[in-house]
Amino acid sequence: EQHHECVQCGETFATAQGALSHMRSPVHLEPKFPCPQCGDKFKQVSDVSKHIEAGNCIKISRPQIVQAVRKFEAKQGCRNTFTTPLLENGNSSALLTSYEATSAAWDGKAFRCALCERSFRELPHLNQHLRSATHDVNNFRCR
Protein backbone atom coordinates (compact mmCIF):
# COMPACT_ATOMS: atom_id res chain seq x y z
CA GLU A 1 0.00 0.00 0.00
CA GLN A 2 1.55 3.29 -1.16
CA HIS A 3 1.26 6.44 0.95
CA HIS A 4 1.81 9.97 -0.27
CA GLU A 5 3.36 12.42 2.16
CA CYS A 6 3.17 16.21 2.38
CA VAL A 7 6.75 17.50 2.29
CA GLN A 8 5.86 20.43 4.57
CA CYS A 9 4.05 18.74 7.46
CA GLY A 10 4.54 15.00 6.95
CA GLU A 11 0.82 14.20 6.80
CA THR A 12 0.21 11.08 4.72
CA PHE A 13 -2.51 10.48 2.15
CA ALA A 14 -3.84 7.32 0.52
CA THR A 15 -3.76 8.88 -2.95
CA ALA A 16 -1.49 11.24 -4.81
CA GLN A 17 -4.53 13.40 -5.57
CA GLY A 18 -5.26 13.72 -1.84
CA ALA A 19 -1.70 14.87 -1.15
CA LEU A 20 -1.81 17.29 -4.07
CA SER A 21 -5.13 18.79 -2.91
CA HIS A 22 -3.68 19.22 0.59
CA MET A 23 -0.56 20.95 -0.71
CA ARG A 24 -2.58 23.29 -2.95
CA SER A 25 -4.91 24.23 -0.10
CA PRO A 26 -4.19 27.22 2.16
CA VAL A 27 -3.38 24.95 5.11
CA HIS A 28 0.32 25.93 5.15
CA LEU A 29 -0.11 29.61 4.29
CA GLU A 30 0.50 32.34 6.83
CA PRO A 31 -2.69 34.21 7.75
CA LYS A 32 -2.44 37.57 5.95
CA PHE A 33 -6.02 38.78 5.45
CA PRO A 34 -7.09 40.92 8.43
CA CYS A 35 -10.65 41.34 9.65
CA PRO A 36 -11.44 45.04 9.02
CA GLN A 37 -13.13 45.24 12.40
CA CYS A 38 -10.96 43.38 14.94
CA GLY A 39 -7.69 42.80 13.06
CA ASP A 40 -7.62 38.99 13.47
CA LYS A 41 -5.83 37.50 10.44
CA PHE A 42 -6.98 34.69 8.17
CA LYS A 43 -5.52 32.56 5.38
CA GLN A 44 -8.28 33.36 2.87
CA VAL A 45 -10.57 36.33 2.26
CA SER A 46 -13.56 33.99 2.54
CA ASP A 47 -12.42 33.10 6.07
CA VAL A 48 -12.73 36.78 7.05
CA SER A 49 -16.31 36.74 5.80
CA LYS A 50 -17.07 33.51 7.67
CA HIS A 51 -15.53 34.97 10.84
CA ILE A 52 -17.85 38.00 10.70
CA GLU A 53 -20.97 36.14 9.55
CA ALA A 54 -20.62 33.46 12.23
CA GLY A 55 -20.64 36.13 14.94
CA ASN A 56 -17.04 35.46 15.96
CA CYS A 57 -15.88 39.05 15.49
CA ILE A 58 -16.24 40.91 18.77
CA LYS A 59 -16.26 44.33 17.06
CA ILE A 60 -19.30 44.01 14.76
CA SER A 61 -22.68 42.36 15.15
CA ARG A 62 -24.84 40.68 12.53
CA PRO A 63 -27.47 43.47 12.80
CA GLN A 64 -24.73 46.01 12.02
CA ILE A 65 -23.82 43.98 8.92
CA VAL A 66 -27.44 43.95 7.76
CA GLN A 67 -27.73 47.70 8.32
CA ALA A 68 -24.51 48.32 6.36
CA VAL A 69 -25.71 46.23 3.41
CA ARG A 70 -29.10 48.00 3.42
CA LYS A 71 -27.32 51.40 3.42
CA PHE A 72 -25.12 50.25 0.53
CA GLU A 73 -28.22 49.14 -1.42
CA ALA A 74 -29.93 52.49 -0.80
CA LYS A 75 -26.82 54.45 -1.85
CA GLN A 76 -26.46 52.38 -5.04
CA GLY A 77 -30.18 52.61 -5.82
CA CYS A 78 -30.61 48.85 -5.72
CA ARG A 79 -32.85 48.22 -2.69
CA ASN A 80 -33.53 44.54 -1.92
CA THR A 81 -30.91 43.28 -4.35
CA PHE A 82 -29.05 41.41 -1.62
CA THR A 83 -31.49 41.75 1.28
CA THR A 84 -35.07 40.68 1.74
CA PRO A 85 -37.69 43.46 1.65
CA LEU A 86 -38.44 45.25 4.91
CA LEU A 87 -41.82 44.95 6.56
CA GLU A 88 -44.68 46.92 4.97
CA ASN A 89 -44.27 49.88 7.36
CA GLY A 90 -40.50 49.95 6.82
CA ASN A 91 -39.83 48.99 10.44
CA SER A 92 -36.77 46.76 10.41
CA SER A 93 -36.21 46.65 14.18
CA ALA A 94 -37.57 43.10 14.35
CA LEU A 95 -35.03 42.06 11.71
CA LEU A 96 -32.12 43.73 13.50
CA THR A 97 -32.50 42.33 16.99
CA SER A 98 -29.37 41.24 18.81
CA TYR A 99 -29.14 39.27 22.04
CA GLU A 100 -26.63 38.97 24.84
CA ALA A 101 -26.80 36.46 27.66
CA THR A 102 -25.77 37.16 31.24
CA SER A 103 -24.98 34.96 34.22
CA ALA A 104 -28.77 34.68 34.70
CA ALA A 105 -28.73 32.14 31.83
CA TRP A 106 -27.06 29.62 34.18
CA ASP A 107 -29.55 26.89 35.14
CA GLY A 108 -27.32 25.10 37.63
CA LYS A 109 -25.81 22.79 35.01
CA ALA A 110 -25.15 24.95 31.95
CA PHE A 111 -25.82 28.30 30.31
CA ARG A 112 -29.11 27.89 28.45
CA CYS A 113 -30.29 29.76 25.34
CA ALA A 114 -33.71 31.24 26.09
CA LEU A 115 -34.64 31.06 22.39
CA CYS A 116 -33.92 27.40 21.62
CA GLU A 117 -33.05 25.77 24.97
CA ARG A 118 -29.60 24.70 23.71
CA SER A 119 -27.06 24.53 26.54
CA PHE A 120 -23.44 25.70 26.72
CA ARG A 121 -20.69 25.07 29.27
CA GLU A 122 -19.44 28.66 29.14
CA LEU A 123 -21.18 32.03 28.85
CA PRO A 124 -18.96 33.24 25.96
CA HIS A 125 -20.03 30.18 23.95
CA LEU A 126 -23.70 31.00 24.53
CA ASN A 127 -23.08 34.60 23.45
CA GLN A 128 -21.24 33.42 20.31
CA HIS A 129 -24.32 31.28 19.55
CA LEU A 130 -26.56 34.33 20.04
CA ARG A 131 -24.36 36.45 17.73
CA SER A 132 -24.50 33.79 15.00
CA ALA A 133 -27.20 33.48 12.34
CA THR A 134 -28.97 30.72 14.27
CA HIS A 135 -31.95 32.83 15.34
CA ASP A 136 -31.82 35.50 12.61
CA VAL A 137 -34.65 36.33 10.30
CA ASN A 138 -33.56 35.49 6.76
CA ASN A 139 -32.12 38.93 5.86
CA PHE A 140 -30.20 38.01 2.72
CA ARG A 141 -31.16 36.37 -0.54
CA CYS A 142 -29.29 34.64 -3.33
CA ARG A 143 -30.19 35.37 -6.92
Side-chain angles (χ1 to χ4, degrees):
E1 188 174 314
Q2 189 176 8
H3 291 284
H4 305 273
E5 186 174 314
C6 173
V7 295
Q8 284 188 275
C9 68
E11 187 172 347
T12 58
F13 299 86
T15 66
Q17 184 60 43
L20 188 59
S21 292
H22 168 80
M23 289 185 276
R24 287 182 176 163
S25 78
V27 69
H28 298 297
L29 296 177
E30 285 295 316
K32 64 179 180 181
F33 298 103
C35 170
Q37 298 298 318
C38 70
D40 285 358
K41 290 188 177 179
F42 299 89
K43 295 177 181 185
Q44 300 181 93
V45 173
S46 61
D47 293 336
V48 177
S49 176
K50 290 175 195 171
H51 160 75
I52 293 170
E53 290 175 2
N56 295 332
C57 182
I58 59 172
K59 300 260 181 154
I60 190 168
S61 67
R62 291 187 55 77
Q64 289 171 315
I65 294 167
V66 174
Q67 285 176 324
V69 172
R70 288 193 189 280
K71 283 181 185 175
F72 172 80
E73 287 177 327
K75 186 176 179 183
Q76 299 299 316
C78 60
R79 277 185 168 51
N80 303 324
T81 300
F82 306 109
T83 59
T84 54
L86 294 174
L87 304 175
E88 284 295 317
N89 64 4
N91 180 0
S92 64
S93 61
L95 301 176
L96 301 174
T97 302
S98 60
Y99 304 97
E100 184 170 352
T102 66
S103 59
W106 181 255
D107 69 4
K109 294 181 180 178
F111 291 96
R112 192 150 319 269
C113 176
L115 302 172
C116 68
E117 294 296 312
R118 191 168 163 200
S119 61
F120 299 85
R121 283 188 229 157
E122 298 181 28
L123 184 58
H125 297 161
L126 171 55
N127 279 317
Q128 180 179 340
H129 165 77
L130 291 170
R131 286 191 307 268
S132 76
T134 303
H135 301 296
D136 277 4
V137 171
N138 206 1
N139 288 304
F140 297 102
R141 66 163 109 202
C142 295
R143 289 190 175 214

mmCIF file of all heavy atoms in Angstrom, residues 2 7 23 35 37 69-70 75 78 85 97 101 103 117:
data_model
loop_
_atom_site.group_PDB
_atom_site.id
_atom_site.type_symbol
_atom_site.label_atom_id
_atom_site.label_comp_id
_atom_site.label_asym_id
_atom_site.label_seq_id
_atom_site.Cartn_x
_atom_site.Cartn_y
_atom_site.Cartn_z
ATOM 1 N N GLN A 2 0.710 2.102 -0.994
ATOM 2 C CA GLN A 2 1.548 3.287 -1.159
ATOM 3 C C GLN A 2 0.912 4.482 -0.441
ATOM 4 O O GLN A 2 -0.289 4.693 -0.513
ATOM 5 C CB GLN A 2 1.699 3.590 -2.640
ATOM 6 C CG GLN A 2 2.715 4.663 -2.922
ATOM 7 C CD GLN A 2 2.903 4.868 -4.428
ATOM 8 O OE1 GLN A 2 2.185 4.329 -5.233
ATOM 9 N NE2 GLN A 2 3.895 5.665 -4.771
ATOM 10 N N VAL A 7 5.357 17.186 1.963
ATOM 11 C CA VAL A 7 6.754 17.497 2.289
ATOM 12 C C VAL A 7 6.869 18.579 3.362
ATOM 13 O O VAL A 7 7.905 18.700 4.008
ATOM 14 C CB VAL A 7 7.552 17.907 1.029
ATOM 15 C CG1 VAL A 7 7.666 16.754 0.053
ATOM 16 C CG2 VAL A 7 6.937 19.117 0.360
ATOM 17 N N MET A 23 -1.656 20.004 -0.496
ATOM 18 C CA MET A 23 -0.555 20.946 -0.710
ATOM 19 C C MET A 23 -0.999 22.208 -1.444
ATOM 20 O O MET A 23 -0.416 23.271 -1.254
ATOM 21 C CB MET A 23 0.599 20.259 -1.449
ATOM 22 C CG MET A 23 1.316 19.256 -0.546
ATOM 23 S SD MET A 23 2.774 18.518 -1.299
ATOM 24 C CE MET A 23 2.038 17.186 -2.237
ATOM 25 N N CYS A 35 -9.256 40.927 9.478
ATOM 26 C CA CYS A 35 -10.649 41.343 9.646
ATOM 27 C C CYS A 35 -10.634 42.868 9.749
ATOM 28 O O CYS A 35 -9.857 43.424 10.539
ATOM 29 C CB CYS A 35 -11.238 40.735 10.914
ATOM 30 S SG CYS A 35 -12.853 41.412 11.372
ATOM 31 N N GLN A 37 -12.579 44.768 11.134
ATOM 32 C CA GLN A 37 -13.128 45.244 12.402
ATOM 33 C C GLN A 37 -12.200 44.985 13.586
ATOM 34 O O GLN A 37 -11.903 45.881 14.348
ATOM 35 C CB GLN A 37 -14.491 44.595 12.661
ATOM 36 C CG GLN A 37 -15.528 44.927 11.617
ATOM 37 C CD GLN A 37 -15.834 46.409 11.565
ATOM 38 O OE1 GLN A 37 -15.957 47.066 12.582
ATOM 39 N NE2 GLN A 37 -15.950 46.946 10.367
ATOM 40 N N VAL A 69 -25.332 46.686 4.752
ATOM 41 C CA VAL A 69 -25.713 46.230 3.410
ATOM 42 C C VAL A 69 -26.937 47.001 2.927
ATOM 43 O O VAL A 69 -27.006 47.417 1.772
ATOM 44 C CB VAL A 69 -25.957 44.704 3.377
ATOM 45 C CG1 VAL A 69 -26.537 44.260 2.035
ATOM 46 C CG2 VAL A 69 -24.665 43.954 3.667
ATOM 47 N N ARG A 70 -27.904 47.232 3.808
ATOM 48 C CA ARG A 70 -29.101 48.000 3.420
ATOM 49 C C ARG A 70 -28.714 49.433 3.024
ATOM 50 O O ARG A 70 -29.238 49.982 2.061
ATOM 51 C CB ARG A 70 -30.131 47.994 4.535
ATOM 52 C CG ARG A 70 -30.814 46.654 4.699
ATOM 53 C CD ARG A 70 -32.042 46.763 5.580
ATOM 54 N NE ARG A 70 -32.569 45.463 5.913
ATOM 55 C CZ ARG A 70 -33.332 44.726 5.098
ATOM 56 N NH1 ARG A 70 -33.642 45.159 3.910
ATOM 57 N NH2 ARG A 70 -33.772 43.539 5.475
ATOM 58 N N LYS A 75 -27.763 53.529 -1.204
ATOM 59 C CA LYS A 75 -26.825 54.449 -1.846
ATOM 60 C C LYS A 75 -26.648 54.115 -3.333
ATOM 61 O O LYS A 75 -26.525 54.994 -4.169
ATOM 62 C CB LYS A 75 -25.475 54.391 -1.130
ATOM 63 C CG LYS A 75 -24.473 55.394 -1.622
ATOM 64 C CD LYS A 75 -23.198 55.333 -0.789
ATOM 65 C CE LYS A 75 -22.192 56.331 -1.298
ATOM 66 N NZ LYS A 75 -20.933 56.261 -0.565
ATOM 67 N N CYS A 78 -30.260 50.245 -5.404
ATOM 68 C CA CYS A 78 -30.611 48.852 -5.716
ATOM 69 C C CYS A 78 -31.214 48.155 -4.501
ATOM 70 O O CYS A 78 -30.770 47.088 -4.112
ATOM 71 C CB CYS A 78 -29.389 48.098 -6.228
ATOM 72 S SG CYS A 78 -28.010 48.035 -5.054
ATOM 73 N N PRO A 85 -36.968 42.206 1.423
ATOM 74 C CA PRO A 85 -37.693 43.464 1.652
ATOM 75 C C PRO A 85 -38.026 43.661 3.139
ATOM 76 O O PRO A 85 -38.255 42.703 3.870
ATOM 77 C CB PRO A 85 -38.976 43.277 0.837
ATOM 78 C CG PRO A 85 -38.646 42.248 -0.174
ATOM 79 C CD PRO A 85 -37.644 41.327 0.481
ATOM 80 N N THR A 97 -32.607 42.583 15.567
ATOM 81 C CA THR A 97 -32.498 42.325 16.990
ATOM 82 C C THR A 97 -31.198 41.595 17.294
ATOM 83 O O THR A 97 -30.805 40.704 16.557
ATOM 84 C CB THR A 97 -33.682 41.453 17.470
ATOM 85 O OG1 THR A 97 -34.881 42.140 17.150
ATOM 86 C CG2 THR A 97 -33.622 41.189 18.948
ATOM 87 N N ALA A 101 -26.457 37.192 26.449
ATOM 88 C CA ALA A 101 -26.795 36.460 27.662
ATOM 89 C C ALA A 101 -25.949 36.963 28.823
ATOM 90 O O ALA A 101 -24.846 37.479 28.637
ATOM 91 C CB ALA A 101 -26.568 34.971 27.455
ATOM 92 N N SER A 103 -25.106 36.090 33.291
ATOM 93 C CA SER A 103 -24.983 34.960 34.220
ATOM 94 C C SER A 103 -26.349 34.402 34.620
ATOM 95 O O SER A 103 -26.451 33.271 35.091
ATOM 96 C CB SER A 103 -24.186 35.373 35.456
ATOM 97 O OG SER A 103 -24.836 36.458 36.096
ATOM 98 N N GLU A 117 -33.318 26.715 23.875
ATOM 99 C CA GLU A 117 -33.047 25.771 24.966
ATOM 100 C C GLU A 117 -31.733 25.011 24.818
ATOM 101 O O GLU A 117 -31.459 24.102 25.596
ATOM 102 C CB GLU A 117 -34.204 24.771 25.141
ATOM 103 C CG GLU A 117 -35.503 25.415 25.603
ATOM 104 C CD GLU A 117 -35.375 26.036 26.994
ATOM 105 O OE1 GLU A 117 -34.851 25.373 27.910
ATOM 106 O OE2 GLU A 117 -35.786 27.200 27.153
#
